[in-house]
Amino acid sequence: MKTILFSNKNHFIIASFVFLLISFRTVSFAQKVFMPTQWTKAAMEASVPFPEYPRPQLARNDWKCLNGEWDYKGGKDVASALNPPAPVSFDGKIEKIKVPYCPESVLSGIQRKQEINMWYRRTFDIPADWADKQVIIHLDAVSHNTTLFVNGHKAGTHAGNYDAFSFNITSYLKKGNNSLVIAAHDLNDGRVPSGKSGPRGDYTYSSGIWQTVWLEPVNKTYIKNIRLLPDLANSRLKVLVNTEGGGKVTAIALDGKKVVSEAESANGTYFYLPIKTPKLWSPDEPFLYNLNISLKDAQGSITDKVSSYFGMRDIKLGKVDGVTRPLINGKFIMQLGLLDQGYWPDGILTAPTEAALKFDVEFTKNAGYNLIRKHMKTEPQRFYYWADKLGLLVWQDMPAIWYPNEDTTKTRTTFRKELKTLIDDHYNSPSIITWVPFNENWGAFDVKNITSWVKKYDPSRLVNGNSGFNNNPTYQKAYGDPGNGDYVDTHIYVGPYGASVPEDHRAASLGEFGGVGLFVRGHMWPVANNAYEYEATKARLTDRYVFLLDQVEQLMKYKGLSVAVYTQTTDVEHEVNGLLTYDRFFEKMEMDRVKAINEAVIKESYKLKD
């Protein structure tokens, strides 16, 4: 998708018309501020937002999306939604909310700040051909404490902001119409991981349901989850399949439709799929193998089938001309990327549509970058699917906890639990090459031990224990450089000089730099806007960027720098230092020149060899 440029008069007229149309359609939402994107209208008109299958690496054909209009009650005056024993009554005033958009967003139809107590209700029918099936409900992200009721019965609870979870609700179902109530409680007080959405974060809160809710029928014996690990040294894929009810597992790897390997195993046992002369996954050639997995019961009958995919790649540290650098498939590739915060003026933490979700990834790729640092939040599985498919490396941040020194037994345990679930949820994605537990000492604690734990839990990836350890918020004592992990990482604004230099056991990373702003009238959030420095025109901002990248290249060649992450993909509320405006309508730099310098710097890295 091409970004709309306001230098084109027709595009300006179209965008203005869309703005007026959307504003007219949404006056009932009583919004005070509204900045539409080119996908807002489609999101508002969709009866079922995000109808795409939400879990590409464990896919089944049969499922039911529950996104769309739900009954809603929210706010401080409604009954507490924290582990309630029974659902509230939906008599009296009932609002409508569009799931999966958070109630703080305009797309939800509610647009109120920090609801705390949120109650959702809808009815649904079970398809006739699901009569003999187990029915699983999946909730891909809800903030923070969730309680599920099915036909008035409590069916499960969960605590977390960023991890997907599910419940088997079969025993609570009846023929015909069924009632589903979800209670979500979110204090948003910084005592659970909340990233930029927390009380010390910079942006609009996001509470309640914010990713897809869906149903899936399975047999009593079915595949629960899989774990995939490419082993390039031995030309094979390591596979683990966990099932409900046991059974024999068969896995088939395919190149397109051509079978390249097949193996069998029992439930819960690691096994290997040989991949002779594997086609490697890299940003330049993001080749993905297909993977089909089936499950047979003791009688030999197939009880489940799922489809998946995998990429054969590895990431490790090595020496290039005596310099410690990250190696992808044994080769050094300069990691040049964008800080990607994933915020939207219409959906806040939730992209308005699948096309919008893909857009940010595709824009980054088309601009000549090979890396996204997903900053202080996670995304739906389909975001990582597009990174896998299009060929972008991903650094995945853990969203910060803001008060780790208060009630440490509770808050720190919560952080560690959600960090583990974040890794588990996204373990199979070949695009993710680095975990980032902490950013700039925001809520940092026990960094050295946590860095070591992540490295031990997932030795197949690199770990940047504290990106930008040189920066520290005033409210907390600096933890400082943990001294371990795979990167020595500093943040320099505007930079890039002053960046880290490599050590014997750590590569040098410039985890954030740049942040140069440009004011674009008519495309800024209505608050005091800021950046680290400014340029007056698109041409001058582009000149500045090219100069910064020339300096990055010098650091890469002669000072051992291996990673540089520019701030940032888009403007975000008060920040005006994006390559795109917050609404994604306006490209703030001359993108052909940006792409040319990005590709030139990355190409130079290919020349650095032993």
Side-chain angles (χ1 to χ4, degrees), residues 32-51:
K32 295 181 180 179
V33 177
F34 184 47
M35 179 187 286
T37 69
Q38 54 193 295
W39 305 277
T40 305
K41 182 174 182 290
M44 287 184 165
E45 292 180 345
S47 59
V48 181
F50 292 98

Side-chain angles (χ1 to χ4, degrees), residues 38 64 129 175 238 379 396 401 407 454 459 504 535 545:
Q38 54 193 295
K64 183 180 180 69
D129 56 357
K175 290 183 179 180
K238 188 177 182 180
E379 295 286 358
Q396 179 61 59
I401 195 168
D407 194 359
V454 175
D504 183 63
E535 294 293 346
Y545 180 82

Side-chain angles (χ1 to χ4, degrees), residues 43-63:
M44 287 184 165
E45 292 180 345
S47 59
V48 181
F50 292 98
E52 300 81 9
Y53 189 81
R55 195 184 54 200
Q57 282 191 295
L58 187 66
R60 295 185 177 91
N61 292 327
D62 205 4
W63 69 294

Side-chain angles (χ1 to χ4, degrees), residues 257-405:
K257 295 183 178 181
K258 179 184 176 182
V259 175
V260 298
S261 186
E262 184 173 348
E264 290 187 348
S265 180
N267 161 55
T269 303
Y270 278 104
F271 64 98
Y272 296 92
L273 279 168
I275 311 292
K276 295 180 180 179
T277 317
K279 296 181 179 180
L280 303 183
W281 185 97
S282 72
D284 292 332
E285 297 183 48
F287 180 82
L288 297 172
Y289 288 91
N290 294 320
L291 180 65
N292 293 334
I293 302 175
S294 60
L295 180 65
K296 293 181 180 179
D297 61 19
Q299 288 71 44
S301 299
I302 294 177
T303 62
D304 197 9
K305 290 182 179 180
V306 298
S307 62
S308 187
Y309 67 85
F310 63 94
M312 293 297 289
R313 67 101 187 92
D314 66 11
I315 174 74
K316 58 187 177 183
L317 293 184
K319 299 287 186 179
V320 178
D321 195 20
V323 176
T324 304
R325 294 190 184 274
L327 306 180
I328 298 168
N329 303 331
K331 299 179 181 179
F332 170 56
I333 302 174
M334 178 66 180
Q335 296 178 36
L336 183 59
L338 291 173
L339 191 76
D340 188 328
Q341 305 208 56
Y343 272 76
W344 299 83
D346 46 10
I348 307 179
L349 283 188
T350 306
T353 66
E354 167 84 358
L357 187 74
K358 180 184 177 184
F359 174 85
D360 280 4
V361 182
E362 202 165 36
F363 170 82
T364 305
K365 182 71 175 182
N366 291 340
Y369 297 96
N370 61 14
L371 173 69
I372 288 172
R373 180 180 167 201
K374 179 49 63 176
H375 187 48
M376 302 293 282
K377 68 168 288 196
T378 61
E379 295 286 358
Q381 292 285 354
R382 294 194 65 86
F383 175 92
Y384 304 96
Y385 164 75
W386 287 117
D388 295 340
K389 190 173 179 64
L390 296 175
L392 276 162
L393 306 170
V394 175
W395 280 23
Q396 179 61 59
D397 287 13
M398 173 64 190
I401 195 168
W402 291 98
Y403 302 103
N405 299 319

Side-chain angles (χ1 to χ4, degrees), residues 469-480:
F469 64 83
N470 59 308
N471 287 347
N472 190 71
T474 56
Y475 75 92
Q476 179 175 317
K477 183 180 179 181
Y479 186 95

